[in-house]
Amino acid sequence: VYWVGGEPLMYEQHWKYMTRIIELGDGNRVYARYNTNLSRIDYRGINLFRDILGHVRDWQICASLDGTEAIGEYIRTGLDYSQWCRNFAEGVAAASHRRQMRIDFTLTLPGMFEVGRVGELAKQFDVDILAKVVFAFTPDIILSPLALPRKILERKIEEIIPNTKGAVRDILNQLGTRPVFAEQWNNGGAAAAALAKGKQRVLQLEQIRGDTYTLADILKQDPEIDEWYQNIA
C-alpha cells in the first residue's frame, strides 16, 4: 500500500485514515511515501513519526526546500525555516535507514544563491538531496534560472558547481545544456516582453504579500544579475 501526497500532512483525513490503519493492525503492510513541505508533524496529539510512521513497514519523506532562511522563506510562501529544521531533525532521529529522510530541492533563480547552503544543510543532517529545476513552460517565469542570459547563466553555474555533488551537480550540468529563454523564444522580442510581464507579476505578488525582503534584494548579491534584473523594463 502506498500513500503519496502533495501536502498530505495539512489534511485532517491523512491523520484520520493513517491512524485507523494502525489501529486495525495493518501498519506492517504499508509503505508510506510523502512529498511534503513538512510544515506540520503533530496534529491533535498525534505525532507523525512516533504514532504513525513508527508502526508501518517502511516509509520515506521527501521534504521540499528551495532555500534556507530568508531566501527559502521568500521563495516558498508560508515556510518557517526554523520550524522546518526542527521537524526535519525529528524525522532524521526517527529514521532507521538513509532513504527515509531526504531534502527535495527545486532550483529557482533566487535558489541559485542557495545551492551551497542547502548542500551544507544536507551534510549537517547527513541526508541526500533530490533535485530538479523549476518548471518553465513559458518565458515569463522569471523565477527560472533559464530567464538569465546565456553568458550570465554559464558563469553562475561555473561558480556554483565545484562545491556540489550528486543530484544537484547533475541538474546544474543539465541546466547548462538547455536553451535559455532568449534562445528558445527569440521571436521579435517575445522573450524580453515576457520577462517584463513576469517581473511585473513578481512585483505585484511581493506587494500583496507585504514582502520586506524581495527578489531584487536577493539578486543584489551578484552585480551582473542585479543589473540584468534592473534593466528589465
Side-chain angles (χ1 to χ4, degrees):
V1 180
Y2 295 84
W3 182 281
V4 182
E7 187 48 69
L9 304 184
M10 297 304 294
Y11 296 105
E12 181 178 3
Q13 293 92 327
H14 159 262
W15 303 93
K16 178 180 177 181
Y17 298 154
M18 291 299 286
T19 300
R20 186 58 176 157
I21 288 172
I22 304 304
E23 290 173 346
L24 292 172
D26 291 328
N28 60 356
R29 300 169 55 196
V30 173
Y31 175 86
R33 184 183 188 274
Y34 294 81
N35 288 89
T36 171
N37 295 332
L38 205 63
S39 55
R40 171 184 290 170
I41 61 172
D42 291 286
Y43 181 77
R44 295 185 177 180
I46 305 169
N47 177 269
L48 176 67
F49 300 109
R50 181 187 65 245
D51 301 316
I52 295 177
L53 299 185
H55 300 279
V56 302
R57 177 171 62 84
D58 198 4
W59 54 271
Q60 181 183 146
I61 286 182
C62 302
S64 299
L65 189 71
D66 305 328
T68 67
E69 299 180 341
I71 293 180
E73 291 177 352
Y74 172 84
I75 299 170
R76 190 172 287 264
T77 303
L79 171 67
D80 180 332
Y81 178 68
S82 296
Q83 185 63 56
W84 186 96
C85 286
R86 289 192 292 270
N87 291 347
F88 196 87
E90 189 168 334
V92 170
S96 59
H97 60 81
R98 190 177 185 87
R99 288 180 60 84
Q100 288 182 320
M101 292 295 296
R102 293 192 283 185
I103 295 173
D104 190 345
F105 175 57
T106 300
L107 180 63
T108 63
L109 174 56
M112 295 284 282
F113 297 91
E114 286 292 293
V115 171
R117 295 187 184 99
V118 172
E120 284 299 313
L121 186 68
K123 184 178 179 181
Q124 173 188 327
F125 282 119
D126 192 25
V127 298
D128 298 319
I129 299 175
L130 301 173
K132 57 186 179 295
V133 180
V134 65
F135 289 126
F137 298 122
T138 56
D140 59 336
I141 310 300
I142 202 166
L143 290 185
S144 169
L146 295 172
L148 291 171
R150 165 64 58 190
K151 181 180 177 181
I152 299 178
L153 177 62
E154 290 181 345
R155 190 260 302 167
K156 196 65 180 175
I157 291 174
E158 289 176 2
E159 291 176 1
I160 297 170
I161 205 166
N163 297 319
T164 63
K165 61 181 181 179
V168 176
R169 191 179 188 90
D170 289 344
I171 64 163
L172 287 170
N173 279 322
Q174 294 165 12
L175 188 62
T177 67
R178 294 174 59 181
V180 298
F181 290 171
E183 296 166 344
Q184 189 172 358
W185 284 283
N186 187 16
N187 181 17
L195 283 180
K197 177 182 176 183
K199 180 178 180 179
Q200 183 61 34
R201 184 183 300 121
V202 165
L203 294 174
Q204 290 172 345
L205 288 173
E206 289 175 344
Q207 186 174 22
I208 292 169
R209 299 194 312 183
D211 289 328
T212 56
Y213 186 60
T214 66
L215 181 59
D217 294 321
I218 297 169
L219 301 185
K220 283 177 183 178
Q221 298 178 62
D222 186 304
E224 190 175 21
I225 294 179
D226 177 45
E227 181 179 7
W228 162 79
Y229 182 70
Q230 295 302 331
N231 286 335
I232 296 175

